[in-house]
Amino acid sequence: MGGAGPSTRCAPQDVQCLHVSVFVAGRYNKFSRTLPQTPWVIDGERRMESSVEELITAPLLASFRSEGFNFCSSGREDVDVRTLGNGRPFAVELLNPHRAQFSRAEVRQLQEAINTSSDKVKVRDLQIVTREAVAHMKEGEEDKTKSYGALIWTQRPIEKEDIEFINNIKELKIAQKTPLRVLHRRPLAVRQRLIHTMTASYLNPHHFHLNLRTQAGTYIKEFVHGDFGRTKPNLCELMEADTDILELDVESVDVDWPPAVED
Ligand SMILES: *[C@@H]1O[C@H](CO)[C@@H](O)[C@H](O)[C@H]1NC(C)=O
């Protein structure tokens, strides 16, 4: 007879523990003109040794022992553009981290590890944030102001009047057709943008430094050379001179997130 024992055996199930994502935010400077923001792969082949994304995430992945990541930032710069000043806000989602608790001192050590891993990228204001807070970075991005510094070449010699003329331009409305160089990844559209102010400083007869404060999303290179008439008006037209942009730096991204972290 026997008692009414269990009729089935207990079969152990696989137990999987996944930790929810941890979000780390900060601001980065990029001091190289040969560093892309994300890995640059063409036809399965790597074109550049590293990227902003890899330099920032490598120490994070190792310390959080996470299985992967998603990187996002407030806009992005071209491979040959530096990002100076206070830097560009970014956030990294660390997927399934095996360690999630870090003290302030440990987060600071992580920042130092990123800073010392190369001379191309430095980070500040590194902090652990919530998923919701990351949304602040993307809010009203289009209405923000960005400041740039550019080295401009002109074919004809620059006159004192050119400098004054540029410095007097305020709240200039421009229309930009999607630049030829990004047309393979962006839809064709015409975007209205504002150049709030420009400040020119004479360097020599064929070069001047141009400081621009513009609405976020303005294509600066195209505003200078005109992109075969796709940006109107452009600096060539305005100055009645052939002009080109030799160097470009982002000098500030006016997004007030993430909050500053005191040293
Ligand atoms: C990392 O570099 C940035 C930018 O130069 C600096 O503001 C920050 O204090 C540095 N942090 C550490 C911990 O070295």
Side-chain angles (χ1 to χ4, degrees):
M1 295 258 300
S7 57
T8 54
R9 278 172 170 274
C10 179
Q13 302 278 314
D14 266 346
V15 176
Q16 252 199 336
C17 291
L18 290 178
H19 196 287
V20 292
S21 295
V22 172
F23 293 83
V24 174
R27 307 176 77 95
Y28 73 79
N29 286 125
K30 169 177 172 293
F31 297 115
S32 167
R33 295 197 192 279
T34 57
L35 186 70
Q37 198 206 35
T38 51
W40 206 1
V41 181
I42 301 172
D43 297 332
E45 250 183 77
R46 242 199 121 107
R47 288 305 161 94
M48 297 270 169
E49 267 166 51
S50 193
S51 63
V52 171
E53 182 186 281
E54 287 163 285
L55 289 172
I56 292 176
T57 56
L60 298 179
L61 287 171
S63 297
F64 286 78
R65 290 186 284 131
S66 80
E67 282 173 3
F69 68 86
N70 290 310
F71 184 91
C72 68
S73 61
S74 177
R76 57 191 296 163
E77 64 283 311
D78 291 337
V79 58
D80 58 347
V81 173
R82 299 186 301 179
T83 295
L84 309 177
N86 243 348
R88 183 187 298 281
F90 70 90
V92 182
E93 174 181 13
L94 294 154
L95 303 167
N96 191 22
H98 288 70
R99 188 181 162 196
Q101 302 294 325
F102 286 80
S103 68
R104 266 178 79 123
E106 287 169 324
V107 173
R108 196 179 155 73
Q109 277 166 17
L110 271 169
Q111 180 172 291
E112 204 174 327
I114 298 168
N115 278 4
T116 52
S117 70
S118 82
D119 50 14
K120 296 175 179 162
V121 165
K122 305 278 174 206
V123 297
R124 77 187 70 213
D125 300 334
L126 199 72
Q127 54 198 284
I128 295 178
V129 297
T130 62
R131 181 190 291 273
E132 292 70 43
V134 175
H136 291 317
M137 194 172 70
K138 295 276 166 195
E139 263 165 34
E141 211 170 42
E142 298 251 306
D143 311 321
K144 305 290 181 186
T145 301
K146 296 204 181 183
S147 303
Y148 299 88
L151 177 61
I152 310 290
W153 167 87
T154 64
Q155 192 189 31
R156 68 160 171 80
I158 303 152
E159 318 262 344
K160 197 163 159 257
E161 290 71 32
D162 291 316
I163 302 289
E164 283 169 9
F165 170 74
I166 291 170
N167 290 351
N168 283 328
I169 296 175
K170 307 275 179 249
E171 303 303 328
L172 176 71
K173 278 199 192 93
I174 62 168
Q176 298 200 291
K177 264 192 207 155
T178 306
L180 287 175
R181 69 189 165 92
V182 300
L183 210 44
H184 64 284
R185 56 185 166 86
R186 296 266 167 87
L188 176 60
V190 181
R191 294 181 185 79
Q192 312 292 326
R193 288 289 183 261
L194 273 178
I195 311 273
H196 299 301
T197 59
M198 290 195 277
T199 312
S201 325
Y202 180 90
L203 294 173
N204 61 47
H206 294 281
H207 297 90
F208 65 95
H209 180 87
L210 182 63
N211 202 275
L212 305 102
R213 284 186 58 252
T214 74
Q215 186 180 356
T218 304
Y219 290 108
I220 305 298
K221 291 173 180 172
E222 283 69 20
F223 167 65
V224 173
H225 60 59
D227 201 24
F228 303 97
R230 300 168 67 84
T231 289
K232 278 188 174 287
N234 55 63
L235 198 61
C236 282
E237 251 170 38
L238 293 166
M239 292 184 67
E240 296 173 8
D242 248 355
T243 63
D244 201 0
I245 181 162
L246 305 182
E247 286 178 355
L248 180 62
D249 295 322
V250 175
E251 291 187 336
S252 83
V253 180
D254 298 339
V255 173
D256 54 7
W257 188 88
V261 173
E262 283 180 31
D263 284 342

